[in-house]
Every structure is written in structure tokens, then in C-alpha cells.
Amino acid sequence: MNIQRRINTVIDNLIVQDYILFGSVFVLFLLFMILAIVFRKRKKISFFLVTSALLIFFLGPTLGYMQMHKFLFKNEVKLISEKKLEFTKAIVIKGSLKNLSDRDFSACKITATAYIKTSNEYKNYILRLKPIQKSSIVEEDIKKDQSKEFKMFVEPFVYNKEYDIGLEASCK
């Protein structure tokens, strides 16, 4: 996919709250920069304002977008069952997705991730950063307060030792 199509896809998926967030971050950036110019004689204050403005400009949209979407598109994913198949190299995962938001979801991307499991909890935390296998499905049209059960396969899954399965969903 070329870069223009990617940019168009991102812009098409933005909602009104995203534009408000990006606009307010830009206004806050400009305000801090203007204050830095006003207080240019006081070096420490000016330096603090410029640093704050740059942090707001670069971190504000990303962190704000992630936190806002966690709040607006709140959901709960539960693992009901998992079974490693004998006749093929796959795991069957059954779960449920519940819409806890005040709005209807048009689509939710559910991702199942398999992790190596050990007896050391600190090692398990580090091993979660590098999963064995990932698989995703998309569920569509989930109304508010509605639960939807799903079934998905993680394949090819060739790991023979102990593992853990993690589920997460990203909705819009």
C-alpha cells in the first residue's frame, strides 16, 4: 500500500473527538511558545515553556489519542476456552467481546497472542514482549451493552511446551 493511501485511511478513520484533540494540542503548543517568547528574558522559565511545548506537540496527539480511544471505545474481552488441536498445528480460541462504551462499534479487531509461560513471573513479563504467535479477526456491528462470542484459530502453532494466551480488542 502506498503512503498516500495509508494517510487517506488514517484520515478516514478519525472521529470528531480526534480533530478536537489535535486542534487543542496545537493551540496549547502555540500558547506555550508565545509565553516562552514573552518570558524570553527569564531563561529558566523560557526553557521550561519551550520544552513543555515540544513535549505537548510530539507526545500529546499520540498519548491523547490512545487514552481517548480507550475511554470512548471501552470493551471487555474474555477467554472462554482454548484447545490445542491434535490433527493440525493450531489452537482454537473461544471468547466473548462486550461493548462497555456509550456508542455502537462498527468494527472490532480482536487479537489473540500466544506467549511462552515459565515459573518465573519476571521472565513471563519480559517474554510477553516477544510473543510466539499472533492472530486477529474482525467482528462487526456490536451495539452498546451487547456481548458477542467469537471463535478464532491461531495457526500454525508448533510450540509444544507451556504457553499463555492473551486477548485484546481494538474497536471503532
Side-chain angles (χ1 to χ4, degrees):
M1 191 174 351
N2 66 20
I3 191 89
Q4 185 177 2
R5 198 174 313 158
R6 286 184 188 179
I7 291 171
N8 285 340
T9 303
V10 168
I11 290 172
D12 288 343
N13 288 325
L14 293 177
I15 58 176
V16 173
Q17 289 88 342
D18 294 329
Y19 291 110
I20 293 169
L21 170 72
F22 299 149
S24 60
V25 164
F26 185 69
V27 167
L28 204 56
F29 168 76
L30 287 177
L31 176 69
F32 274 56
M33 291 303 283
I34 290 169
L35 285 173
I37 292 169
V38 169
F39 290 112
R40 69 181 173 268
K41 301 262 189 216
R42 297 180 180 173
K43 299 294 183 198
K44 288 182 181 178
I45 294 174
S46 180
F47 178 76
F48 174 76
L49 289 170
V50 168
T51 304
S52 298
L54 291 174
L55 284 173
I56 288 169
F57 188 73
F58 289 111
L59 296 179
T62 305
L63 297 176
Y65 179 87
M66 291 183 336
Q67 291 302 316
M68 185 174 64
H69 279 256
K70 275 185 191 176
F71 176 74
L72 290 176
F73 300 105
K74 190 173 183 177
N75 61 66
E76 181 181 78
V77 186
K78 286 186 182 174
L79 179 66
I80 295 172
S81 70
E82 67 170 88
K83 183 178 181 184
K84 189 169 182 183
L85 300 178
E86 301 289 326
F87 56 89
T88 185
K89 296 175 181 177
I91 301 173
V92 178
I93 296 172
K94 292 181 183 176
S96 70
L97 172 68
K98 183 172 184 176
N99 181 348
L100 300 175
S101 174
D102 292 335
R103 57 180 63 221
D104 297 338
F105 296 156
S106 60
C108 286
K109 181 180 179 183
I110 303 167
T111 304
T113 311
Y115 305 101
I116 296 173
K117 184 178 179 182
T118 65
S119 59
N120 185 336
E121 69 178 83
Y122 299 112
K123 192 173 182 181
N124 286 340
Y125 182 76
I126 293 171
L127 290 172
R128 290 184 77 82
L129 300 173
K130 187 177 180 194
I132 306 168
Q133 189 79 26
K134 269 186 168 183
S135 185
S136 298
I137 61 169
V138 176
E139 289 287 332
E140 296 183 351
D141 297 324
I142 302 171
K143 306 294 181 209
K144 64 180 178 178
D145 296 324
Q146 179 186 8
S147 287
K148 210 172 201 183
E149 290 195 0
F150 61 88
K151 182 194 280 189
M152 63 189 301
F153 294 91
V154 178
E155 58 183 348
F157 190 78
V158 294
Y159 190 73
N160 292 324
K161 297 177 184 172
E162 277 196 63
Y163 61 90
D164 250 346
I165 298 292
L167 287 175
E168 59 183 37
S170 173
C171 300
K172 60 180 180 173

